[in-house]
Amino acid sequence: MLPRDFPGDLADELRFLPDFLDAPERLFEELLATVVWDTRLRNRKTASFGIPYNYSGLTYPEIPFPSAIAALAEQATTPLGFRPNNALLNLYAGNGGMGFHSDSSAALATDSGVGIISLGAARELVFRRSGANYALQLPAGSLLRMSLPMQASWQHALPAASPTTAARISVTFRRIVSD
Ligand SMILES: O=C(O)CCC(=O)C(=O)O
């Protein structure tokens, strides 16, 4: 359930399943143990699988989905309403985060969206429009789908938490259209 203070025109653009995964700890540990992380960004580590989603001046090689990500993408396809062909993973330390931004829809399939599966420590995702902020707690095992149209009017951020907060991984799913 989304927080009650969320305006209707924000809630309409989100789908939130707090208990999407049964055993998020297992996947968290598997990804921590197996993923080779890219360290080019300062506030988080990343890894890209599938057709690359190149952004923020970074490019990634095309790497097939590992089996755990392929299984997750399959499970997420119905709630997301699109079949992901890219998984961009983020690994955050407690004080890591992502500033306010909107996701570019240019390379994404029409009527798809952006999916976020959260693992590890629960963190807040904050939505902002016209100076008003709305925070959503993302617990381990949750799935959030953001629509593409909302990116035009809303920004979102993952604010830094305390350095003692445990690590979090987000698996962000997209459907890229190759040209
Ligand atoms: O890691 C997260 O949950 C945030 C991801 C995000 O904001 C994005 O992919 O645009």
Side-chain angles (χ1 to χ4, degrees), residues 90 92 98 101 103 116 125 156 158 168 170 172 174:
N90 300 291
Y92 301 92
M98 202 186 287
H101 66 283
D103 287 10
I116 300 177
L125 190 71
H156 57 278
L158 192 100
R168 168 178 184 264
S170 64
T172 67
R174 293 174 178 82

Side-chain angles (χ1 to χ4, degrees), residues 57-119:
L58 298 187
T59 57
Y60 296 91
E62 181 162 353
I63 300 175
F65 280 1
S67 58
I69 296 296
L72 187 63
E74 183 64 38
Q75 190 182 349
T77 290
T78 298
L80 291 179
F82 65 91
R83 185 169 291 280
N85 61 6
N86 169 264
L88 182 71
L89 278 60
N90 300 291
L91 170 60
Y92 301 92
N95 57 356
M98 202 186 287
F100 275 106
H101 66 283
S102 306
D103 287 10
S104 164
S105 308
L108 305 186
T110 313
D111 294 334
S112 64
V114 178
I116 300 177
I117 315 284
S118 294
L119 304 167

Side-chain angles (χ1 to χ4, degrees), residues 19-30 72 75 118-119 140-141:
D19 301 315
F20 170 65
L21 291 179
D22 288 337
E25 309 76 24
R26 216 168 39 212
L27 182 57
F28 179 72
E29 294 304 333
E30 179 175 346
L72 187 63
Q75 190 182 349
S118 294
L119 304 167

